[in-house]
């Protein structure tokens, strides 16, 4: 029985990689300019249109994948005789993994021998993408399904996520910080440093005054916490601030000799809550903060 690795659109991998490797995914939904759009790596709603909207005051909302969508996708592969490994966005951030588990149970009632593994990655954005990338590459090398699942479970809490945001407005709108904190932070040009903890929740790790200092902090966290392997995969995502992402990439290569770096936009679902100019650095470390 062959294995298929599937994920959801919040993994924020480049569309080119998704298409080249024929990775099946389910899409979360972004409610933007009074319309509903599939979050599908910039295909239905271009990154340019989305970020232009954010910068002009749009405040989009998002919704998770429902169980029916999962059930239809799972059944398709089960009928083809395939095992499924679904790597999903942290259950502490979205109910999407819960929908996948509900769908899995429904499919098993109809297809007793269905082989479906649902993994809560406790990750999001390009950190989730890093796990998807590793799983896909292991599958391409012929690794067994059980070995891939074990590696993901053993390493998912070693994926370090570090984010800085360009504005506190969207964090306030999503209830992540209070109105007073947002006002004071904006006046003082404070950059919240956000990470994901072992439960998969977004937490405000610290606050740094000034964008350049915040980016330097990202590099210091990589120096302190990453595994010492020049051949490791490092991922960077950005909220329409490509120049800073490329600068961060150059510094990682220059200071640490990192060769393999994936860069992509933050998709509409995550960016609806973080706003434009978000910059994240994700990597495999010894553990999380």
């Amino acid at each position: 029985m062959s294995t298929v690795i599937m994920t959801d659109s919040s993994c924020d991998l480049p569309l080119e990689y998704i298409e080249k490797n024929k990775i099946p995914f389910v899409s979360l939904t972004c409610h933007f300019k009074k319309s509903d759009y599939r979050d599908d790596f910039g295909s239905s709603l271009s990154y340019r249109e989305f970020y232009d909207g954010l910068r002009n005051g749009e405040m989009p909302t998002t919704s998770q994948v429902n169980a029916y969508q999962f059930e239809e996708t799972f059944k398709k592969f089960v009928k083809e005789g395939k095992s499924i490994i679904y790597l999903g966005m942290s259950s502490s951030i979205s109910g999407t993994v819960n929908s996948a588990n509900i769908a899995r149970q429904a499919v098993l009632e109809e297809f007793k021998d269905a082989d479906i593994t649902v993994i809560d990655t406790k990750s999001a954005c390009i950190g989730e993408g890093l796990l998807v990338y590793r799983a896909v590459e292991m599958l391409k090398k012929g690794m067994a399904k059980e070995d891939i699942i074990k590696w993901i479970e053993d390493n998912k809490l070693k994926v370090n996520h570090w984010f800085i945001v360009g504005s506190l407005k969207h964090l306030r709108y999503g209830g992540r910080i209070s109105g007073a904190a947002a006002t004071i932070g904006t006046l003082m040009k404070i950059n919240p440093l956000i990470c994901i903890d072992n439960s998969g929740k977004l937490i405000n790790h610290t606050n740094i005054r000034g964008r350049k200092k915040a980016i330097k902090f990202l590099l210091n966290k990589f120096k302190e916490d990453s595994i010492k392997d020049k051949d490791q995969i490092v991922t960077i995502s950005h909220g329409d601030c490509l120049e800073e992402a490329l600068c961060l990439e150059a510094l990682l290569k220059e200071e640490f000799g990192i060769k393999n770096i994936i860069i992509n936009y933050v998709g509409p679902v995550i960016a609806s809550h973080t706003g434009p100019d978000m910059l994240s650095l994700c990597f495999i470390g010894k553990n999380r903060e």
Side-chain angles (χ1 to χ4, degrees), residues 17-41:
Y17 182 79
I18 295 290
E19 292 181 336
K20 179 180 178 181
N21 292 280
K22 299 179 180 178
I23 303 170
F25 64 92
V26 288
S27 290
L28 284 83
T29 301
C30 179
H31 312 285
F32 177 75
K33 291 185 177 180
K34 299 182 180 180
S35 297
D36 289 345
Y37 292 92
R38 293 180 67 225
D39 181 11
D40 53 6
F41 308 99

Side-chain angles (χ1 to χ4, degrees), residues 6 30-31 52 128 130 156 161 178 204 214 227 243 268 272:
M6 65 173 287
C30 179
H31 312 285
D52 283 349
E128 177 188 344
L130 178 55
K156 67 184 185 181
H161 304 65
S178 69
N204 189 352
I227 57 174
E243 187 174 331
S272 293

Side-chain angles (χ1 to χ4, degrees), residues 25-206:
F25 64 92
V26 288
S27 290
L28 284 83
T29 301
C30 179
H31 312 285
F32 177 75
K33 291 185 177 180
K34 299 182 180 180
S35 297
D36 289 345
Y37 292 92
R38 293 180 67 225
D39 181 11
D40 53 6
F41 308 99
S43 297
S44 298
L45 174 61
S46 72
Y47 294 127
R48 173 53 50 221
E49 181 182 356
F50 176 73
Y51 279 102
D52 283 349
L54 287 188
R55 294 185 191 283
N56 286 317
E58 290 291 332
M59 299 298 285
T61 58
T62 62
S63 57
Q64 67 192 48
V65 184
N66 62 46
Y68 175 77
Q69 290 173 271
F70 275 110
E71 191 172 341
E72 291 301 296
T73 305
F74 288 164
K75 281 183 180 179
K76 173 182 179 293
F77 291 117
V78 168
K79 289 176 180 178
E80 293 173 0
K82 294 180 179 179
S83 296
I84 301 166
I85 303 174
Y86 164 64
L87 303 179
M89 182 183 187
S90 172
S91 61
S92 295
I93 298 174
S94 169
T96 296
V97 161
N98 184 54
S99 294
N101 280 315
I102 292 170
R104 176 181 179 275
Q105 287 304 122
V107 173
L108 285 171
E109 289 176 9
E110 184 177 351
F111 300 92
K112 305 297 182 184
D113 297 328
D115 185 4
I116 306 170
T117 302
V118 174
I119 298 178
D120 179 356
T121 65
K122 303 295 183 183
S123 297
C125 196
I126 203 72
E128 177 188 344
L130 178 55
L131 288 172
V132 174
Y133 177 92
R134 293 296 293 262
V136 169
E137 295 302 310
M138 285 188 282
L139 185 63
K140 285 161 63 175
K141 292 177 182 178
M143 286 185 65
K145 175 200 69 178
E146 293 78 12
D147 293 332
I148 295 173
I149 292 170
K150 185 178 186 307
W151 190 93
I152 296 297
E153 292 290 2
D154 288 346
N155 289 277
K156 67 184 185 181
L157 294 185
K158 296 178 183 178
V159 178
N160 282 234
H161 304 65
W162 292 99
F163 306 80
I164 58 176
V165 296
S167 167
L168 299 174
K169 179 173 69 173
H170 288 79
L171 289 173
R172 176 189 176 184
Y173 180 70
R176 299 292 178 185
I177 59 174
S178 69
T183 300
I184 294 170
T186 300
L187 290 172
M188 297 183 68
K189 297 183 179 180
I190 287 175
N191 288 265
L193 265 296
I194 301 165
C195 64
I196 294 183
D197 66 11
N198 283 342
S199 69
K201 292 181 180 178
L202 291 171
I203 61 170
N204 189 352
H205 176 78
T206 189

